[in-house]
PDB file of all heavy atoms in Angstrom:
ATOM      1  N   GLU N  36      -7.733 -24.717  -4.647  1.00  0.00           N
ATOM      2  CA  GLU N  36      -8.678 -23.898  -5.471  1.00  0.00           C
ATOM      3  C   GLU N  36      -7.947 -22.691  -5.962  1.00  0.00           C
ATOM      4  O   GLU N  36      -8.381 -22.032  -6.919  1.00  0.00           O
ATOM      5  CB  GLU N  36      -9.930 -23.527  -4.735  1.00  0.00           C
ATOM      6  CG  GLU N  36      -9.766 -22.658  -3.556  1.00  0.00           C
ATOM      7  CD  GLU N  36      -9.411 -23.380  -2.235  1.00  0.00           C
ATOM      8  OE1 GLU N  36      -9.048 -24.562  -2.195  1.00  0.00           O
ATOM      9  OE2 GLU N  36      -9.567 -22.641  -1.140  1.00  0.00           O
ATOM     10  N   PHE N  37      -6.738 -22.315  -5.359  1.00  0.00           N
ATOM     11  CA  PHE N  37      -5.982 -21.207  -5.730  1.00  0.00           C
ATOM     12  C   PHE N  37      -4.918 -21.615  -6.705  1.00  0.00           C
ATOM     13  O   PHE N  37      -4.058 -22.390  -6.428  1.00  0.00           O
ATOM     14  CB  PHE N  37      -5.296 -20.473  -4.530  1.00  0.00           C
ATOM     15  CG  PHE N  37      -6.306 -19.794  -3.645  1.00  0.00           C
ATOM     16  CD1 PHE N  37      -6.455 -20.224  -2.318  1.00  0.00           C
ATOM     17  CD2 PHE N  37      -6.990 -18.754  -4.029  1.00  0.00           C
ATOM     18  CE1 PHE N  37      -7.378 -19.612  -1.537  1.00  0.00           C
ATOM     19  CE2 PHE N  37      -7.906 -18.068  -3.167  1.00  0.00           C
ATOM     20  CZ  PHE N  37      -8.039 -18.478  -1.934  1.00  0.00           C
ATOM     21  N   VAL N  38      -5.070 -21.215  -7.943  1.00  0.00           N
ATOM     22  CA  VAL N  38      -4.100 -21.439  -9.037  1.00  0.00           C
ATOM     23  C   VAL N  38      -3.308 -20.129  -9.352  1.00  0.00           C
ATOM     24  O   VAL N  38      -3.928 -19.103  -9.579  1.00  0.00           O
ATOM     25  CB  VAL N  38      -4.777 -21.940 -10.304  1.00  0.00           C
ATOM     26  CG1 VAL N  38      -3.783 -22.129 -11.422  1.00  0.00           C
ATOM     27  CG2 VAL N  38      -5.643 -23.133 -10.033  1.00  0.00           C
ATOM     28  N   TYR N  39      -2.024 -20.263  -9.313  1.00  0.00           N
ATOM     29  CA  TYR N  39      -1.195 -19.105  -9.470  1.00  0.00           C
ATOM     30  C   TYR N  39      -1.146 -18.673 -10.928  1.00  0.00           C
ATOM     31  O   TYR N  39      -0.732 -19.398 -11.828  1.00  0.00           O
ATOM     32  CB  TYR N  39       0.355 -19.442  -8.935  1.00  0.00           C
ATOM     33  CG  TYR N  39       0.366 -19.551  -7.488  1.00  0.00           C
ATOM     34  CD1 TYR N  39       0.088 -20.756  -6.868  1.00  0.00           C
ATOM     35  CD2 TYR N  39       0.587 -18.504  -6.710  1.00  0.00           C
ATOM     36  CE1 TYR N  39       0.074 -20.906  -5.482  1.00  0.00           C
ATOM     37  CE2 TYR N  39       0.582 -18.588  -5.304  1.00  0.00           C
ATOM     38  CZ  TYR N  39       0.342 -19.756  -4.727  1.00  0.00           C
ATOM     39  OH  TYR N  39       0.308 -19.883  -3.335  1.00  0.00           O
ATOM     40  N   PRO N  40      -1.536 -17.374 -11.156  1.00  0.00           N
ATOM     41  CA  PRO N  40      -1.561 -16.928 -12.499  1.00  0.00           C
ATOM     42  C   PRO N  40      -0.197 -16.485 -13.139  1.00  0.00           C
ATOM     43  O   PRO N  40      -0.009 -16.505 -14.337  1.00  0.00           O
ATOM     44  CB  PRO N  40      -2.427 -15.581 -12.445  1.00  0.00           C
ATOM     45  CG  PRO N  40      -2.256 -15.087 -10.985  1.00  0.00           C
ATOM     46  CD  PRO N  40      -2.023 -16.422 -10.141  1.00  0.00           C
ATOM     47  N   LEU N  41       0.753 -16.303 -12.265  1.00  0.00           N
ATOM     48  CA  LEU N  41       2.135 -15.972 -12.701  1.00  0.00           C
ATOM     49  C   LEU N  41       3.136 -16.702 -11.744  1.00  0.00           C
ATOM     50  O   LEU N  41       2.712 -17.271 -10.688  1.00  0.00           O
ATOM     51  CB  LEU N  41       2.385 -14.485 -12.633  1.00  0.00           C
ATOM     52  CG  LEU N  41       1.495 -13.586 -13.400  1.00  0.00           C
ATOM     53  CD1 LEU N  41       1.637 -12.158 -13.027  1.00  0.00           C
ATOM     54  CD2 LEU N  41       1.940 -13.658 -14.932  1.00  0.00           C
ATOM     55  N   ASP N  42       4.413 -16.686 -12.098  1.00  0.00           N
ATOM     56  CA  ASP N  42       5.404 -17.267 -11.229  1.00  0.00           C
ATOM     57  C   ASP N  42       5.364 -16.564  -9.874  1.00  0.00           C
ATOM     58  O   ASP N  42       5.301 -15.268  -9.806  1.00  0.00           O
ATOM     59  CB  ASP N  42       6.804 -17.174 -11.801  1.00  0.00           C
ATOM     60  CG  ASP N  42       6.982 -18.129 -12.977  1.00  0.00           C
ATOM     61  OD1 ASP N  42       6.238 -19.069 -13.136  1.00  0.00           O
ATOM     62  OD2 ASP N  42       8.010 -17.897 -13.668  1.00  0.00           O
ATOM     63  N   TYR N  43       5.534 -17.309  -8.786  1.00  0.00           N
ATOM     64  CA  TYR N  43       5.427 -16.847  -7.445  1.00  0.00           C
ATOM     65  C   TYR N  43       6.534 -17.491  -6.636  1.00  0.00           C
ATOM     66  O   TYR N  43       6.826 -18.695  -6.701  1.00  0.00           O
ATOM     67  CB  TYR N  43       4.038 -17.164  -6.848  1.00  0.00           C
ATOM     68  CG  TYR N  43       3.802 -16.611  -5.499  1.00  0.00           C
ATOM     69  CD1 TYR N  43       3.515 -15.263  -5.257  1.00  0.00           C
ATOM     70  CD2 TYR N  43       3.791 -17.511  -4.378  1.00  0.00           C
ATOM     71  CE1 TYR N  43       3.197 -14.815  -3.973  1.00  0.00           C
ATOM     72  CE2 TYR N  43       3.554 -17.032  -3.105  1.00  0.00           C
ATOM     73  CZ  TYR N  43       3.203 -15.695  -2.893  1.00  0.00           C
ATOM     74  OH  TYR N  43       2.940 -15.188  -1.644  1.00  0.00           O
ATOM     75  N   GLY N  44       7.190 -16.701  -5.823  1.00  0.00           N
ATOM     76  CA  GLY N  44       8.248 -17.279  -4.981  1.00  0.00           C
ATOM     77  C   GLY N  44       8.633 -16.381  -3.885  1.00  0.00           C
ATOM     78  O   GLY N  44       7.816 -15.613  -3.358  1.00  0.00           O
ATOM     79  N   TYR N  45       9.902 -16.325  -3.561  1.00  0.00           N
ATOM     80  CA  TYR N  45      10.380 -15.476  -2.354  1.00  0.00           C
ATOM     81  C   TYR N  45      11.826 -15.159  -2.582  1.00  0.00           C
ATOM     82  O   TYR N  45      12.531 -15.717  -3.401  1.00  0.00           O
ATOM     83  CB  TYR N  45      10.149 -16.274  -1.079  1.00  0.00           C
ATOM     84  CG  TYR N  45      10.904 -17.547  -1.009  1.00  0.00           C
ATOM     85  CD1 TYR N  45      12.243 -17.572  -0.353  1.00  0.00           C
ATOM     86  CD2 TYR N  45      10.450 -18.705  -1.477  1.00  0.00           C
ATOM     87  CE1 TYR N  45      12.943 -18.751  -0.313  1.00  0.00           C
ATOM     88  CE2 TYR N  45      11.205 -19.947  -1.383  1.00  0.00           C
ATOM     89  CZ  TYR N  45      12.431 -19.922  -0.806  1.00  0.00           C
ATOM     90  OH  TYR N  45      13.148 -21.048  -0.697  1.00  0.00           O
ATOM     91  N   LEU N  46      12.272 -14.184  -1.743  1.00  0.00           N
ATOM     92  CA  LEU N  46      13.621 -13.789  -1.761  1.00  0.00           C
ATOM     93  C   LEU N  46      14.308 -14.489  -0.642  1.00  0.00           C
ATOM     94  O   LEU N  46      14.052 -14.335   0.540  1.00  0.00           O
ATOM     95  CB  LEU N  46      13.733 -12.275  -1.532  1.00  0.00           C
ATOM     96  CG  LEU N  46      13.164 -11.411  -2.646  1.00  0.00           C
ATOM     97  CD1 LEU N  46      13.266  -9.931  -2.224  1.00  0.00           C
ATOM     98  CD2 LEU N  46      13.840 -11.640  -3.980  1.00  0.00           C
ATOM     99  N   GLU N  47      15.291 -15.343  -1.051  1.00  0.00           N
ATOM    100  CA  GLU N  47      15.994 -16.187   0.013  1.00  0.00           C
ATOM    101  C   GLU N  47      16.838 -15.240   0.871  1.00  0.00           C
ATOM    102  O   GLU N  47      17.446 -14.255   0.356  1.00  0.00           O
ATOM    103  CB  GLU N  47      16.932 -17.132  -0.784  1.00  0.00           C
ATOM    104  CG  GLU N  47      17.561 -18.208   0.097  1.00  0.00           C
ATOM    105  CD  GLU N  47      18.216 -19.207  -0.788  1.00  0.00           C
ATOM    106  OE1 GLU N  47      19.423 -18.962  -1.185  1.00  0.00           O
ATOM    107  OE2 GLU N  47      17.679 -20.297  -0.986  1.00  0.00           O
ATOM    108  N   GLY N  48      16.871 -15.520   2.111  1.00  0.00           N
ATOM    109  CA  GLY N  48      17.663 -14.717   3.045  1.00  0.00           C
ATOM    110  C   GLY N  48      16.937 -13.453   3.605  1.00  0.00           C
ATOM    111  O   GLY N  48      17.531 -12.593   4.160  1.00  0.00           O
ATOM    112  N   THR N  49      15.669 -13.387   3.308  1.00  0.00           N
ATOM    113  CA  THR N  49      14.858 -12.290   3.833  1.00  0.00           C
ATOM    114  C   THR N  49      13.732 -12.914   4.655  1.00  0.00           C
ATOM    115  O   THR N  49      13.577 -14.113   4.754  1.00  0.00           O
ATOM    116  CB  THR N  49      14.161 -11.452   2.728  1.00  0.00           C
ATOM    117  OG1 THR N  49      13.265 -12.312   1.938  1.00  0.00           O
ATOM    118  CG2 THR N  49      15.154 -10.864   1.669  1.00  0.00           C
ATOM    119  N   VAL N  50      13.097 -11.993   5.428  1.00  0.00           N
ATOM    120  CA  VAL N  50      12.056 -12.491   6.411  1.00  0.00           C
ATOM    121  C   VAL N  50      10.791 -11.703   6.219  1.00  0.00           C
ATOM    122  O   VAL N  50      10.846 -10.451   6.200  1.00  0.00           O
ATOM    123  CB  VAL N  50      12.603 -12.413   7.843  1.00  0.00           C
ATOM    124  CG1 VAL N  50      11.553 -12.899   8.829  1.00  0.00           C
ATOM    125  CG2 VAL N  50      13.890 -13.192   8.066  1.00  0.00           C
ATOM    126  N   SER N  51       9.731 -12.394   6.251  1.00  0.00           N
ATOM    127  CA  SER N  51       8.426 -11.789   6.145  1.00  0.00           C
ATOM    128  C   SER N  51       7.621 -12.200   7.465  1.00  0.00           C
ATOM    129  O   SER N  51       8.071 -13.064   8.154  1.00  0.00           O
ATOM    130  CB  SER N  51       7.576 -12.209   4.993  1.00  0.00           C
ATOM    131  OG  SER N  51       7.293 -13.572   4.964  1.00  0.00           O
ATOM    132  N   PRO N  52       6.428 -11.585   7.704  1.00  0.00           N
ATOM    133  CA  PRO N  52       5.717 -11.841   8.979  1.00  0.00           C
ATOM    134  C   PRO N  52       5.402 -13.335   9.161  1.00  0.00           C
ATOM    135  O   PRO N  52       5.281 -13.856  10.305  1.00  0.00           O
ATOM    136  CB  PRO N  52       4.462 -10.993   8.878  1.00  0.00           C
ATOM    137  CG  PRO N  52       4.857  -9.895   7.982  1.00  0.00           C
ATOM    138  CD  PRO N  52       5.852 -10.482   7.046  1.00  0.00           C
ATOM    139  N   ASP N  53       5.285 -14.111   8.065  1.00  0.00           N
ATOM    140  CA  ASP N  53       4.895 -15.508   8.265  1.00  0.00           C
ATOM    141  C   ASP N  53       6.121 -16.392   8.486  1.00  0.00           C
ATOM    142  O   ASP N  53       6.001 -17.625   8.630  1.00  0.00           O
ATOM    143  CB  ASP N  53       4.082 -16.048   7.061  1.00  0.00           C
ATOM    144  CG  ASP N  53       4.881 -16.066   5.725  1.00  0.00           C
ATOM    145  OD1 ASP N  53       6.084 -15.765   5.716  1.00  0.00           O
ATOM    146  OD2 ASP N  53       4.229 -16.369   4.716  1.00  0.00           O
ATOM    147  N   GLY N  54       7.284 -15.799   8.660  1.00  0.00           N
ATOM    148  CA  GLY N  54       8.510 -16.526   8.902  1.00  0.00           C
ATOM    149  C   GLY N  54       9.310 -16.972   7.709  1.00  0.00           C
ATOM    150  O   GLY N  54      10.445 -17.416   7.823  1.00  0.00           O
TER     151      GLY N  54
END
Side-chain angles (χ1 to χ4, degrees):
E36 66 275 15
F37 290 115
V38 177
Y39 290 88
L41 298 167
D42 287 345
Y43 184 76
Y45 62 94
L46 297 176
E47 192 173 78
T49 62
V50 180
S51 66
D53 65 6

